[in-house]
Amino acid sequence: EGRAWLGLARLAERANNFALARRLFQYGVRFAATTVTATTPGTGTSQDATVSERATSSTEEESRPASRETANARRPRRARVAPTLNGSPSVNIHLLQAWAVMEESAGNVDRARKLLRSALRAAPHHVASLVAFAMLEHRQGNDEAALLYVSEANKVDPENYYALHVRGLIEWRAFRRYEVARRAFEKSLALNPSNSVTYHAYACMEAWALGNVQRARELFDTALKKGNPRNRFILQSWALLEAEKADDLQAA
């Protein structure tokens, strides 16, 4: 059961026990076969968006306001052999992707890349792995590569809201193509209107990259109304907006 291995590995990671987390990921990849090895156009959108967002984003909500998630004992044991798909051993792509994100957070970028390459060799159209690879390369300053990965994710699943969110981030931060970024953020929000992460990024772009203070206010306000009204990242960034762009310390 891949989700159980993933849960255990994340608990170990949360306790900063990366050696144990790595061992649990290794066990998971060895014993837990994937049931869906790839995302093809029109399938798996919500699952891939959720896995990718949880694992790649730590979260992007925090990114730059401006400055700155005994019955079984009786059952026969499964054979410890991964089932095959088209004659080839099947691997758990989601575990490989989550493991890669952990390795990057631990500073092991080369190992993270190796794991993501393994995931994409097994399932070239796995959206969560494509998005994770895009974010890794973006954080490493390799923005052309990042754009290639996220563009492929958008092509595979045009309605994956998180892949669209990441496309907007990269277009804004790396290439300053603000209209392209706007379209990506707008489409992402049309697919998931309560996603405060995207409202936050979109508002920060409008405020600090483009100076559109009123539009940024509207986006922050909508995020609080449609998402969590006590979202601390939105509130903090809105305060910075009022202090820095409107010189309104009382509002801030």
Side-chain angles (χ1 to χ4, degrees):
E1 175 51 70
R3 287 170 297 183
W5 289 111
L6 179 59
L8 284 168
R10 284 201 169 127
L11 286 169
E13 183 183 356
R14 198 175 302 165
N16 292 318
N17 191 337
F18 292 105
L20 176 59
R22 189 172 294 118
R23 199 154 63 245
L24 290 163
F25 275 124
Q26 287 170 338
Y27 288 146
V29 169
R30 182 178 175 189
F31 297 133
T34 286
T35 53
V36 179
T37 57
T39 298
T40 53
T43 67
T45 300
S46 60
Q47 181 189 36
D48 258 17
T50 302
V51 170
S52 179
E53 182 171 5
R54 209 168 41 228
T56 65
S57 183
S58 270
T59 97
E60 285 301 326
E61 257 183 317
E62 293 161 308
S63 70
R64 302 188 199 188
S67 55
R68 343 222 193 243
E69 175 202 265
T70 321
N72 290 336
R74 300 191 194 102
R75 294 179 185 171
R77 286 194 175 189
R78 287 183 185 176
R80 291 183 173 181
V81 178
T84 60
L85 183 72
N86 298 329
S88 302
S90 174
V91 295
N92 193 303
I93 312 303
H94 297 295
L95 279 173
L96 284 173
Q97 181 239 332
W99 184 3
V101 172
M102 185 207 76
E103 292 292 358
E104 186 195 355
S105 70
N108 301 318
V109 174
D110 288 342
R111 181 177 284 175
R113 283 196 181 101
K114 183 177 179 181
L115 289 162
L116 287 170
R117 287 192 193 103
S118 296
L120 290 173
R121 273 197 301 272
H125 300 302
H126 186 239
V127 171
S129 294
L130 288 166
V131 174
F133 222 149
M135 287 304 299
L136 181 150
E137 296 299 354
H138 176 55
R139 284 187 285 258
Q140 295 301 312
N142 302 319
D143 291 312
E144 294 289 349
L147 186 61
L148 286 174
Y149 283 117
V150 77
S151 298
E152 182 63 21
N154 297 145
K155 193 185 306 179
V156 170
D157 189 352
E159 296 193 345
N160 186 298
Y161 73 87
Y162 190 65
L164 286 161
H165 165 85
V166 170
R167 177 66 178 271
L169 280 178
I170 292 170
E171 294 288 0
W172 156 34
R173 291 179 179 172
F175 299 101
R176 300 181 182 179
R177 292 194 285 249
Y178 301 117
E179 281 303 320
V180 179
R182 273 197 189 109
R183 289 197 296 271
F185 287 142
E186 291 282 357
K187 187 169 182 182
S188 177
L189 289 169
L191 292 163
N192 187 0
S194 63
N195 189 12
S196 58
V197 180
T198 303
Y199 285 113
H200 184 266
Y202 190 179
C204 287
M205 181 186 80
E206 293 291 350
W208 284 280
L210 298 170
N212 297 327
V213 173
Q214 186 54 36
R215 179 59 179 147
R217 283 192 186 109
E218 291 166 2
L219 290 163
F220 285 139
D221 186 54
T222 305
L224 295 175
K225 287 175 178 173
K226 291 191 174 184
N228 177 8
R230 297 172 63 83
N231 185 302
R232 65 189 186 277
F233 303 112
I234 299 290
L235 291 167
Q236 176 188 331
S237 293
W238 196 347
L240 283 171
L241 172 73
E242 297 300 344
E244 295 179 359
K245 295 295 183 179
D247 199 26
D248 188 343
L249 295 181
Q250 184 62 38

